[in-house]
Amino acid sequence: MRVLIFGASGSAGGGVLQACLDSTHVTHVRTVVRRPLAVTHAKLETVTHGDYADYTAIGSAFAGVDACFWCLGKSSTQVPTEAEYRRLTYDYAMAAAKALRAASPAAVFHFISGKSTRLDSRYMWARVKAETERDLIAAVDAVCWRPGAIDGVPSASEPMLFRIARPLLRILFGPFRSLYVKAGDIGLAMIQATREKMRASVVENAGIRDLADAARLEAGTRQPPRL
């Protein structure tokens, strides 16, 4: 399996990247980033690009892959306006999904959304993500993932509050399959879903952990991911 990852330097994306590098099912990992990654690996290829609304200059990055793992995003608390949040969340993902469909028609697009995403939500971020889910599924049969609290790689881009609260979240939410997930488990679930040819689906937090457990069981190990 050859995968393309966006957001590999982020908290969730870093865990997804490591899961892909560790997986025997993934033979090649291509990442699109604004700045070089600190990670190096024989399977890893990095493509530097600045404009996530237009991929014309790097169209070849979408070619020859089996899946695209979209892990890019920001908390709504870090974005000043709804228009900007929509651009980062909806516009960027839709542009990438369409580029993937053009270059690798059989590939699947995986979108990290969020728990409690709903079109009729009182929260702006939940409505925007729900619209993104809806339109990605309609356009490219995307698989949309709704994690709760993500325990991932420490990242400069994540909210400071979450970095401080991460150890407490592990204690409070860790036992609850519907509320908490390791970023590495999201990666395992995406790999497993790709292998199972899942399409046009929305997967809640408990489902993410179920798929990750299935991947570990198939691999003959019960060890949790490193991240």
Side-chain angles (χ1 to χ4, degrees):
M1 181 190 306
R2 295 170 63 89
V3 303
L4 174 64
I5 303 178
F6 283 81
S9 63
S11 181
V16 171
L17 170 63
Q18 192 61 59
C20 290
L21 295 177
D22 290 343
S23 174
T24 58
H25 298 297
V26 178
T27 59
H28 185 80
V29 181
R30 185 179 298 150
T31 62
V32 175
V33 293
R34 287 191 174 91
R35 292 172 293 278
L37 295 172
V39 179
T40 58
H41 195 280
K43 293 196 291 188
L44 181 63
E45 173 192 358
T46 300
V47 177
T48 303
H49 184 63
D51 185 358
Y52 282 21
D54 184 354
Y55 300 105
T56 305
I58 59 162
S60 60
F62 293 86
V65 298
D66 300 293
C68 176
F69 297 164
W70 184 267
C71 309
L72 191 69
K74 279 191 174 184
S75 166
S76 59
T77 62
Q78 298 175 292
V79 180
T81 65
E82 178 174 347
E84 177 67 6
Y85 186 77
R86 182 175 296 275
R87 184 175 71 89
L88 297 174
T89 303
Y90 182 96
D91 294 351
Y92 285 2
M94 289 299 298
K98 290 174 181 177
L100 180 71
R101 176 56 60 90
S104 296
V108 58
F109 191 86
H110 295 269
F111 173 71
I112 294 185
S113 183
K115 186 176 176 62
S116 301
T117 293
R118 294 198 323 273
L119 287 169
D120 62 350
S121 175
R122 60 185 287 194
Y123 298 108
M124 176 274 290
W125 67 266
R127 295 192 302 273
V128 172
K129 284 193 171 183
E131 290 175 26
T132 309
E133 289 180 354
R134 178 197 63 198
D135 292 353
L136 284 172
I137 290 173
V140 297
D141 292 332
V143 180
C144 301
W145 304 87
R146 292 181 176 178
I150 302 174
D151 189 352
V153 181
S155 167
S157 63
E158 70 179 336
M160 178 64 71
L161 179 61
F162 192 83
R163 269 184 274 173
I164 295 171
R166 182 176 281 115
L168 183 60
L169 291 174
R170 290 171 182 163
I171 296 171
L172 294 178
F173 294 159
F176 300 99
R177 296 182 70 82
S178 64
L179 300 178
Y180 169 93
V181 65
K182 288 181 177 292
D185 271 359
I186 300 176
L188 284 178
M190 287 177 164
I191 295 167
Q192 186 71 10
T194 301
R195 296 182 65 235
E196 294 180 4
K197 301 188 184 303
M198 184 181 293
R199 295 291 191 278
S201 303
V202 174
V203 186
E204 301 286 350
N205 197 92
I208 296 172
R209 292 182 61 166
D210 287 345
L211 281 164
D213 287 346
R216 277 191 289 270
L217 183 62
E218 184 176 322
T221 175
R222 293 184 177 276
Q223 294 299 313
R226 284 192 276 166
L227 299 168

